[in-house]
Amino acid sequence: MMAFRKWQHSIHLSFPQLMRSGSQTQIRSVSPRCCIVPVHRMSFTTASGPKCKGTQPELTSKKHAKLKRGNFARLSGKHVDHFQSLLGSASQVLTEDLDGYNTDWMNIMRVSKILRYCNDQKLAVVPQGGNTGLVGGSVPVFDEIILSLQLMDKVISIDQMAGVMVCQAGCILEKLDEQLADYNLMMPLDLGSKGSCHIGGNVSTNAGGIRLLRYGSLHGSVLGVEAVKADGEIIDCLSSLRKDNTGYDVKQLFIGSEGTLGVVTAVSILCPQRPKNVSLALLACSTFDDVLSSLKEARNQLQEILSAFEVFDNDSMMSNQTNLKLMNPLKEHNFYIVVETSGSNQSHDEEKLNAFLETVMGSEIINDGIITTEPSKIRILWGLREKITEGLLHDGYCYKYDVSLPLAHYYRLVEDMRVRLGDRATRVVGYGHVGDGNLHLNVTAPAYSAELHSLIEPFIYEYVAKLRGSISAEHGLGFIKSKYIHHSKSPQAVVLMKQLKKLMDPNGILNPYKTLPHTD
Amino acid sequence: MMAFRKWQHSIHLSFPQLMRSGSQTQIRSVSPRCCIVPVHRMSFTTASGPKCKGTQPELTSKKHAKLKRGNFARLSGKHVDHFQSLLGSASQVLTEDLDGYNTDWMNIMRVSKILRYCNDQKLAVVPQGGNTGLVGGSVPVFDEIILSLQLMDKVISIDQMAGVMVCQAGCILEKLDEQLADYNLMMPLDLGSKGSCHIGGNVSTNAGGIRLLRYGSLHGSVLGVEAVKADGEIIDCLSSLRKDNTGYDVKQLFIGSEGTLGVVTAVSILCPQRPKNVSLALLACSTFDDVLSSLKEARNQLQEILSAFEVFDNDSMMSNQTNLKLMNPLKEHNFYIVVETSGSNQSHDEEKLNAFLETVMGSEIINDGIITTEPSKIRILWGLREKITEGLLHDGYCYKYDVSLPLAHYYRLVEDMRVRLGDRATRVVGYGHVGDGNLHLNVTAPAYSAELHSLIEPFIYEYVAKLRGSISAEHGLGFIKSKYIHHSKSPQAVVLMKQLKKLMDPNGILNPYKTLPHTD
């Protein structure tokens, strides 16, 4: 821990005590499936671990009884035999025992042949990566075939000088970041689910996360994509060039379209220099205006070394304490802020961070704080922010929302929701990437209740739409939010999207019922 | 000028003498047209000022005699009357006197009505911004109507806290940057043509430039686009949110598609914090390997403050000296490097830059150098890099290429071209954004010669294609490079592009003969 004289009074915690439970549980998806599997018993509610304590998640098709299955073929023995012949004897088409199966057969030509066949036979397909999504985008709704990219997990090349990595879609984000460390490079994105999410899934869902503030969105960082269209046509735009203005940038179609326009099989990504030192400050303040004042000051004083600016409220902290037995290292306040800096010169970075802290503590914007440069302690402090999602599940049922709002209205939504729901909710919490205007609003209750649900929705979507915010900032629309697209996109834009879907996937076999509103 | 003890020997220039001629001439396009004008006498060769000394540029349709005019309607009095009725009495449809006309009539509804009418009547249209492109993308080939966005030049909003500016397409880049200075913000892109290029044109062509190294491409920085499709349909994706994963990111279709898929009428753009201080170093070295070693060291030591890393060869410097009477402030060397740093703390930045310079001069990678932090001197040193294009025109005729190459092959192309052309060329020069792998290769000769042309092309495209480079890194394809698209894009990708064009503009009225290869 760094000793900053001026605010030593606030360092009142010995770090080893921070986590009373020693719990290291990570939010994980159910075990990813491999090969091609028709799955009838999966539903989106399994995508992010149990949402209901002690009960089995309900089937999507049961929960949405009015939803009609598309006019797709049903899988038969003939189809399974054909897939088996495509994959060869060393591989296996799985139809029942879906866990932990592993063979080494996947490549782009096979993805192409599988999709071509499915398209000809009108068999619906769900492309699946690490299955860590939160909106039911990567799991089947009816009896769609799962096409898992799990076995396409090879790094193709790393160019240290250019800072570019090319790899297959099934690579796990955290493993890629570890490999890049040897080249003094890093992934331009970081997510809570990094231990299991796939880069192909990240690209297909335009994943955000905590580094977006510094390194921007994947629409900028992804230099190339190799994808397969529904008809099996391979679109090779796997360029590793930073600049290439030759024709339309068609790879953008596959970034964030949730596998509905094509299956991403490989990506080329711009990787920034790995910072030589990282510092983390956990700060506390009384009002959301103080949070915004701190953000403004951080932008001004930390500029090029600011790598994250996250907020969470006291209700989030209380859940951490009650549900996960994590300790609050600071005195209780209404808001907590995580400020991370990453730079190339430790003494410069410390000096800047120190000056920033002097300003915000001197002007009483910030009332308490703790900082560290030790990696293990940084992980513990980040845990307070990253484990909120996990902690909330212990309340019973969790209604999850992920919105972008103008900063002036960012936290007002949480306060208004709290008033609206009153005692019906166990907790109404707000946390997220305030530096990007991205709020995670979560409501917990002992169990799912249609009444509570109807008080939250469509209220929240209308609230966000009125402020021209986004009803899904980084999670995407997937299955459960696709019907709300009109709250964030104009009718003309949605028509254009539907035209694009029709063009790229005329039979609609790719990830049906996702992203775009269902039409009968 | 900063005094860096260790290399004071290299500061051997008094700055006021740097520019002997005092010339401040800027590369400018011909005066932009306003309103709607059918122009028969314009050709792409006027787009970037004269390419031939003392002669009138040849008409495109004359130079490309085999090119067939599309099956479009020809403009008649009836059409002109209709446009006049759309625009009202305060406006004017120009058909002859095209210079300096100025009225205040343009808005999105009118653009929509104009395009709807043109689409119904099958009248071809060229959307035009500042007309500073280099590939004939913004000028008519036959008798297309020019739709100038010049009068849509309003800034709609600047959000200092979020760092987002929303403005109309006709705003001039440099003026936007000046306005942002009041908010401690800056444009994320900077180009030699900033004094006349429009933000709408920048977005439509996915402009690159010297800040791309630091702030990334417009596919990442542009948060929102308002555009009008060929049929007059308005696509309002003018979001100013950093994160919005609701459906397909259709705005990406308009970024870099050169106005062939729609006319960009407004943009929302992420603007980084304006750095508090900028330093510039002009360095000299003997080999291209030294350039790459310097780049590697700059990435390592300057990391987060590195804002530009540009190279130019001695032939470029010689042209500056001979043609523009600019003085070389360093001893003659084979290569010159411009290293720019931008940061929030002057003493930190100087310390980092100093350490970098000590390393590269100590290890004799760099043999000579000069640095400054004074804005006026920074402009003069930047001028040595930015005026190269202008200087080369004085040789007579200039063949211009803009490619991306793997860094190991970056300068080899220039050397190979020099050997190939021998005495036939006046100069073969290489310069550009080496930090992004983007090389500008220019060949000059006293006058245009078909023989020299045929020695350069298709040789250069095949050379670049073999190395999986890009045959147009930042200039786009426009009219003159569209037929070479296959050298950088797969047949399947080009088919997909053609399908997108057909979907968005079924009559092909938007910027015909551009971007995609012409088909009869």
Side-chain angles (χ1 to χ4, degrees):
Chain A
M1 193 171 313
M2 286 150 56
F4 277 79
R5 269 169 306 139
K6 292 232 175 168
W7 62 310
Q8 270 180 341
H9 65 278
S10 70
I11 305 185
H12 50 68
L13 176 90
S14 91
F15 264 90
Q17 298 167 354
L18 191 61
M19 292 178 67
R20 283 196 194 128
S21 70
S23 148
Q24 289 288 354
T25 328
Q26 217 193 342
I27 305 296
R28 264 194 59 93
S29 69
V30 294
S31 324
R33 275 74 185 146
C34 69
C35 307
I36 302 182
V37 289
V39 180
H40 298 261
R41 299 196 50 82
M42 279 185 70
S43 84
F44 74 88
T45 48
T46 65
S48 59
K51 285 209 180 62
C52 305
K53 191 163 54 177
T55 58
Q56 274 293 87
E58 205 179 358
L59 292 185
T60 307
S61 49
K62 225 174 177 177
K63 198 163 175 183
H64 299 264
K66 280 187 202 156
L67 184 72
K68 278 201 293 184
R69 183 182 177 281
N71 186 25
F72 300 110
R74 294 193 187 269
L75 194 82
S76 69
K78 162 192 94 169
H79 297 125
V80 175
D81 290 349
H82 182 81
F83 291 132
Q84 192 66 68
S85 76
L86 280 181
L87 302 179
S89 60
S91 312
Q92 205 169 336
V93 177
L94 296 185
T95 52
E96 289 193 14
D97 177 20
L98 309 174
D99 283 348
Y101 209 86
N102 227 2
T103 56
D104 188 16
W105 59 271
M106 203 73 168
N107 65 40
I108 174 98
M109 288 313 298
R110 282 176 170 170
V111 174
S112 168
K113 281 183 187 160
I114 289 164
L115 287 183
R116 196 178 300 272
Y117 181 76
C118 289
N119 193 45
D120 290 345
Q121 300 286 326
K122 286 204 73 182
L123 286 163
V125 176
V126 180
Q128 191 179 80
N131 199 16
T132 61
L134 293 167
V135 290
S138 60
V139 284
V141 176
F142 290 94
D143 54 346
E144 301 91 271
I145 291 169
I146 292 180
L147 180 61
S148 167
L149 281 290
Q150 192 192 359
L151 298 173
M152 293 182 71
D153 62 352
K154 305 283 176 297
V155 171
I156 298 165
S157 67
I158 297 176
D159 181 338
Q160 184 170 20
M161 179 68 99
V164 178
M165 182 171 65
V166 184
C167 66
Q168 290 186 314
C171 294
I172 289 171
L173 179 60
E174 191 171 47
K175 287 192 181 160
L176 293 176
D177 198 55
E178 285 164 8
Q179 282 198 58
L180 287 168
D182 297 338
Y183 298 83
N184 283 325
L185 299 171
M186 71 190 291
M187 290 301 284
L189 76 162
D190 189 14
L191 312 174
S193 59
K194 58 185 161 233
S196 38
C197 67
H198 292 184
I199 187 67
N202 298 150
V203 170
S204 298
T205 59
N206 188 32
I210 56 177
R211 286 183 192 159
L212 188 133
L213 179 77
R214 170 83 164 256
Y215 301 109
S217 95
L218 290 176
H219 285 288
S221 308
V222 171
L223 300 179
V225 166
E226 178 193 74
V228 184
K229 276 172 57 204
D231 61 2
E233 197 78 76
I234 295 170
I235 303 294
D236 177 1
C237 289
L238 200 57
S239 162
S240 53
L241 305 167
R242 279 206 74 169
K243 291 162 91 167
D244 177 22
N245 275 348
T246 53
Y248 310 151
D249 193 1
V250 294
K251 72 164 187 282
Q252 300 288 352
L253 288 169
F254 304 106
I255 303 176
S257 56
E258 302 185 301
T260 62
L261 298 181
V263 177
V264 172
T265 51
V267 306
S268 160
I269 192 160
L270 189 65
C271 302
Q273 289 278 307
R274 202 169 194 88
K276 291 176 187 165
N277 44 280
V278 175
S279 303
L280 202 78
L282 178 69
L283 310 174
C285 60
S286 302
T287 69
F288 190 70
D289 277 350
D290 292 338
V291 174
L292 292 185
S293 302
S294 304
L295 173 59
K296 196 172 173 186
E297 208 49 61
R299 282 237 165 89
N300 180 38
Q301 293 202 35
L302 302 175
Q303 266 199 17
E304 68 273 13
I305 61 165
L306 183 63
S307 53
F309 194 100
E310 302 275 314
V311 72
F312 55 99
D313 60 13
N314 195 42
D315 288 79
S316 305
M317 183 66 100
M318 299 276 276
S319 162
N320 280 341
Q321 294 175 283
T322 310
N323 292 329
L324 300 177
K325 311 299 173 207
L326 298 179
M327 188 193 259
N328 176 3
L330 306 179
K331 294 198 195 97
E332 188 171 332
H333 280 82
N334 291 331
F335 294 96
Y336 303 90
I337 302 170
V338 180
V339 179
E340 189 193 74
T341 63
S342 308
S344 60
N345 183 309
Q346 184 162 349
S347 69
H348 291 174
D349 296 357
E350 282 180 18
E351 208 179 299
K352 288 189 182 93
L353 188 54
N354 206 12
F356 161 70
L357 292 172
E358 277 176 32
T359 305
V360 291
M361 297 190 79
S363 56
E364 293 180 7
I365 296 169
I366 294 297
N367 308 118
D368 196 4
I370 188 173
I371 68 168
T372 182
T373 57
E374 283 182 44
S376 62
K377 291 171 183 169
I378 285 176
R379 269 196 300 279
I380 292 170
L381 285 185
W382 259 124
L384 289 171
R385 160 67 186 85
E386 288 193 324
K387 285 173 199 286
I388 295 169
T389 315
E390 182 190 349
L392 293 170
L393 296 178
H394 290 251
D395 281 352
Y397 192 88
C398 185
Y399 304 82
K400 299 182 74 61
Y401 301 93
D402 161 48
V403 301
S404 281
L405 283 170
L407 288 176
H409 301 272
Y410 185 93
Y411 198 71
R412 215 170 287 163
L413 170 58
V414 182
E415 293 166 333
D416 290 350
M417 187 65 84
R418 223 169 253 152
V419 170
R420 181 176 172 85
L421 302 184
D423 290 343
R424 292 181 192 88
T426 307
R427 279 180 238 271
V428 178
V429 311
Y431 59 96
H433 318 290
V434 65
D436 306 318
N438 179 188
L439 168 76
H440 298 308
L441 183 149
N442 283 205
V443 177
T444 64
Y448 174 80
S449 131
E451 188 208 349
L452 189 55
H453 201 166
S454 69
L455 276 171
I456 305 173
E457 298 178 32
F459 169 77
I460 187 168
Y461 297 122
E462 287 162 4
Y463 191 108
V464 170
K466 216 179 289 172
L467 297 164
R468 289 206 71 158
S470 169
I471 59 126
S472 187
E474 58 178 13
H475 293 170
L477 296 175
F479 173 72
I480 65 177
K481 291 193 178 171
S482 57
K483 59 178 174 288
Y484 302 114
I485 193 171
H486 286 291
H487 289 288
S488 286
K489 290 289 157 69
S490 73
Q492 293 81 1
V494 176
V495 166
L496 179 52
M497 290 179 206
K498 286 183 176 169
Q499 290 171 339
L500 288 169
K501 172 70 177 175
K502 193 83 191 162
L503 172 70
M504 304 278 287
D505 177 17
N507 293 336
I509 62 156
L510 277 180
N511 222 2
Y513 327 107
K514 314 287 172 66
T515 311
L516 297 179
H518 328 131
T519 43
D520 289 8
Chain B
M1 190 172 313
M2 285 149 57
F4 278 78
R5 268 171 305 140
K6 294 232 174 167
W7 62 310
Q8 270 179 341
H9 66 276
S10 68
I11 305 184
H12 49 69
L13 175 90
S14 91
F15 265 91
Q17 298 167 356
L18 191 62
M19 292 178 66
R20 282 194 195 131
S21 69
S23 148
Q24 290 288 354
T25 328
Q26 218 193 341
I27 306 297
R28 265 195 57 95
S29 68
V30 293
S31 321
R33 275 78 184 141
C34 69
C35 305
I36 302 185
V37 288
V39 180
H40 298 261
R41 299 198 49 84
M42 280 186 68
S43 83
F44 73 88
T45 49
T46 64
S48 58
K51 285 209 180 62
C52 305
K53 192 164 51 178
T55 59
Q56 273 293 85
E58 202 179 1
L59 291 185
T60 307
S61 49
K62 225 173 179 179
K63 197 163 173 183
H64 299 264
K66 282 187 199 153
L67 184 72
K68 279 200 291 188
R69 182 181 177 283
N71 186 26
F72 299 110
R74 293 193 188 269
L75 194 82
S76 68
K78 159 192 95 166
H79 298 126
V80 174
D81 290 348
H82 183 81
F83 292 132
Q84 193 66 67
S85 74
L86 280 181
L87 302 178
S89 60
S91 313
Q92 204 168 336
V93 177
L94 297 185
T95 52
E96 289 192 14
D97 177 21
L98 308 174
D99 283 345
Y101 208 87
N102 227 1
T103 55
D104 188 16
W105 59 271
M106 204 72 168
N107 64 40
I108 174 96
M109 289 313 297
R110 281 175 171 169
V111 174
S112 168
K113 281 181 187 161
I114 289 164
L115 287 183
R116 197 180 301 272
Y117 181 77
C118 289
N119 192 45
D120 290 346
Q121 299 286 326
K122 285 204 75 183
L123 287 163
V125 176
V126 180
Q128 191 178 80
N131 199 15
T132 60
L134 293 167
V135 290
S138 60
V139 285
V141 177
F142 290 94
D143 54 347
E144 301 91 272
I145 291 169
I146 292 180
L147 179 61
S148 168
L149 282 289
Q150 194 193 357
L151 298 174
M152 293 182 73
D153 62 352
K154 304 285 177 294
V155 171
I156 298 165
S157 67
I158 297 176
D159 180 340
Q160 184 171 21
M161 179 68 100
V164 177
M165 183 171 65
V166 184
C167 66
Q168 290 186 315
C171 294
I172 288 172
L173 179 61
E174 192 170 47
K175 287 193 181 161
L176 292 177
D177 198 54
E178 285 163 10
Q179 282 198 57
L180 286 169
D182 297 337
Y183 298 83
N184 283 324
L185 299 172
M186 71 189 292
M187 291 301 284
L189 76 162
D190 188 16
L191 310 174
S193 58
K194 58 186 162 234
S196 38
C197 65
H198 292 184
I199 187 66
N202 297 150
V203 170
S204 299
T205 59
N206 188 32
I210 56 176
R211 286 183 193 160
L212 188 133
L213 179 76
R214 170 84 163 257
Y215 302 108
S217 95
L218 290 177
H219 286 287
S221 308
V222 172
L223 301 180
V225 166
E226 178 194 73
V228 184
K229 278 171 58 203
D231 61 3
E233 196 78 74
I234 295 171
I235 304 294
D236 175 3
C237 290
L238 200 56
S239 162
S240 55
L241 305 168
R242 280 205 73 168
K243 293 163 91 169
D244 177 22
N245 276 348
T246 53
Y248 309 151
D249 193 1
V250 295
K251 72 163 187 282
Q252 299 288 349
L253 288 168
F254 305 105
I255 303 175
S257 54
E258 301 184 303
T260 62
L261 299 182
V263 177
V264 172
T265 50
V267 306
S268 160
I269 192 161
L270 188 65
C271 301
Q273 288 279 306
R274 202 168 194 90
K276 292 176 186 163
N277 46 280
V278 175
S279 303
L280 201 78
L282 179 69
L283 310 174
C285 61
S286 302
T287 69
F288 190 71
D289 277 350
D290 292 338
V291 175
L292 292 186
S293 302
S294 304
L295 174 59
K296 196 173 171 183
E297 208 50 60
R299 283 236 164 90
N300 180 39
Q301 293 200 37
L302 302 175
Q303 269 199 17
E304 69 273 13
I305 62 166
L306 183 64
S307 55
F309 194 100
E310 302 275 314
V311 72
F312 54 99
D313 61 14
N314 195 42
D315 287 80
S316 305
M317 183 66 99
M318 300 275 277
S319 161
N320 280 341
Q321 294 176 282
T322 311
N323 292 329
L324 300 178
K325 311 296 174 211
L326 298 180
M327 188 193 261
N328 176 4
L330 305 179
K331 295 199 194 93
E332 187 172 333
H333 280 82
N334 291 329
F335 295 96
Y336 304 90
I337 302 170
V338 180
V339 180
E340 188 192 76
T341 64
S342 308
S344 60
N345 183 309
Q346 185 161 348
S347 69
H348 292 173
D349 295 358
E350 283 180 18
E351 207 179 299
K352 288 190 183 90
L353 187 54
N354 207 12
F356 161 71
L357 293 170
E358 278 178 29
T359 305
V360 292
M361 297 191 80
S363 56
E364 292 179 6
I365 297 169
I366 294 298
N367 308 119
D368 196 3
I370 188 172
I371 69 169
T372 182
T373 57
E374 280 183 45
S376 61
K377 290 172 182 168
I378 286 177
R379 269 197 299 280
I380 292 171
L381 286 186
W382 260 125
L384 288 171
R385 159 67 186 83
E386 289 192 324
K387 287 173 195 285
I388 294 170
T389 315
E390 180 189 350
L392 293 169
L393 295 179
H394 290 249
D395 281 352
Y397 192 89
C398 185
Y399 305 82
K400 300 182 73 62
Y401 301 93
D402 161 47
V403 302
S404 280
L405 282 170
L407 287 175
H409 301 271
Y410 186 92
Y411 199 72
R412 216 169 285 164
L413 169 60
V414 182
E415 293 168 332
D416 291 351
M417 187 65 83
R418 223 169 252 152
V419 170
R420 182 176 172 84
L421 302 184
D423 289 344
R424 292 181 192 87
T426 307
R427 279 181 238 271
V428 178
V429 313
Y431 60 96
H433 319 290
V434 65
D436 306 318
N438 180 190
L439 169 76
H440 297 308
L441 184 149
N442 282 206
V443 177
T444 64
Y448 175 79
S449 130
E451 188 208 351
L452 189 54
H453 202 166
S454 70
L455 276 172
I456 304 173
E457 299 179 31
F459 169 77
I460 187 168
Y461 298 123
E462 288 163 3
Y463 192 106
V464 170
K466 215 180 290 171
L467 296 165
R468 291 206 67 160
S470 170
I471 60 128
S472 187
E474 58 178 14
H475 293 170
L477 296 175
F479 173 73
I480 65 177
K481 291 194 179 171
S482 57
K483 59 178 175 288
Y484 302 114
I485 192 171
H486 286 291
H487 289 289
S488 286
K489 289 288 157 69
S490 72
Q492 292 81 1
V494 175
V495 166
L496 179 53
M497 290 179 206
K498 287 183 175 169
Q499 290 171 341
L500 288 170
K501 172 70 176 175
K502 193 83 191 161
L503 172 70
M504 305 278 288
D505 177 17
N507 292 338
I509 62 158
L510 277 180
N511 223 359
Y513 327 107
K514 314 288 172 66
T515 313
L516 298 179
H518 328 131
T519 42
D520 289 7

